[in-house]
Amino acid sequence: IFTLMGDADQRPQESSWIDFFVDLGGGTGAGPTASGGTVLDYALLRRMMYQDQVLVWLLILTYMGYLFFSASVEYHQAKNTTSVTYYTEPRFACSTVDGHELGSFVLAFNQPPEVVQLQVTGMTQVDVGWLGQGIYRTEFSFALDLSPWLVRDDRSPPPSSRDEARTEDV
């Protein structure tokens, strides 16, 4: 499987899968001797090399497993299982449609706005020499509620031949 550098006469030539698993679980024992080049030193270095490589692969597999688990959690959080097809921004209105029918879409979204205001703000320009032009100070501000003047126009315009063809296609 793996070979080590060194003198060919002092180290084992080939290692088998059985030797790999024995070396993997055999521990490291003491460090190499000072003489170096003995068969035991090569066996010790081989065991340490196998154990290091297996440790690196275990760390890589653990990291990949963590990434897969995190991605699956995010997928399940982002998955939308509701039957709602169209909806409005919930901060401004609360309308939803559960299908693709034109009538239900128009009924849900063809509504007058709930709050209509005319906001008036009066400002005067402030002359600050070192800041430059374009600085304004607010003198007054008020808003007029225009909601009572909103009336829904239920009259439909007379259909033209172009409009009839468009509604038939839908």
Side-chain angles (χ1 to χ4, degrees):
I1 299 172
F2 301 102
T3 58
L4 296 173
M5 305 287 288
D7 297 333
D9 58 342
Q10 293 182 350
R11 62 182 169 88
Q13 293 299 320
E14 275 301 316
S15 61
S16 66
W17 285 102
I18 294 173
D19 293 334
F20 171 75
F21 288 113
V22 168
D23 290 343
L24 184 63
T28 57
T33 60
S35 65
T38 65
V39 174
L40 292 177
D41 289 343
Y42 283 108
L44 176 65
L45 291 174
R46 186 182 68 225
R47 282 195 305 267
M48 290 173 58
M49 180 186 67
Y50 288 157
Q51 291 170 359
D52 290 345
Q53 290 176 351
V54 168
L55 178 65
V56 168
W57 279 108
L58 284 175
L59 289 174
I60 290 171
L61 288 175
T62 302
Y63 181 69
M64 293 296 176
Y66 171 74
L67 288 179
F68 177 75
F69 176 74
S70 298
S72 68
V73 167
E74 288 300 318
Y75 171 76
H76 288 292
Q77 285 181 348
K79 188 168 54 171
N80 187 1
T81 59
T82 64
S83 63
V84 173
T85 309
Y86 303 103
Y87 62 94
T88 59
E89 175 67 40
R91 292 179 293 171
F92 304 115
C94 188
S95 298
T96 60
V97 176
D98 289 342
H100 295 285
E101 295 83 25
L102 181 63
S104 61
F105 182 86
V106 169
L107 183 65
F109 296 114
N110 193 20
Q111 302 294 327
E114 295 176 9
V115 178
V116 178
Q117 295 178 342
L118 173 65
Q119 184 155 355
V120 180
T121 304
M123 300 179 153
T124 57
Q125 189 170 6
V126 178
D127 186 24
V128 180
W130 59 276
L131 286 178
Q133 300 296 326
I135 307 280
Y136 292 93
R137 179 178 59 220
T138 303
E139 295 293 331
F140 63 89
S141 180
F142 62 89
L144 298 173
D145 184 21
L146 301 178
S147 298
W149 287 284
L150 287 180
V151 178
R152 184 181 179 116
D153 186 15
D154 290 330
R155 295 177 293 143
S156 60
S160 65
S161 60
R162 193 171 120 201
D163 290 337
E164 290 174 356
R166 190 179 317 146
T167 56
E168 290 174 2
D169 291 340
V170 177

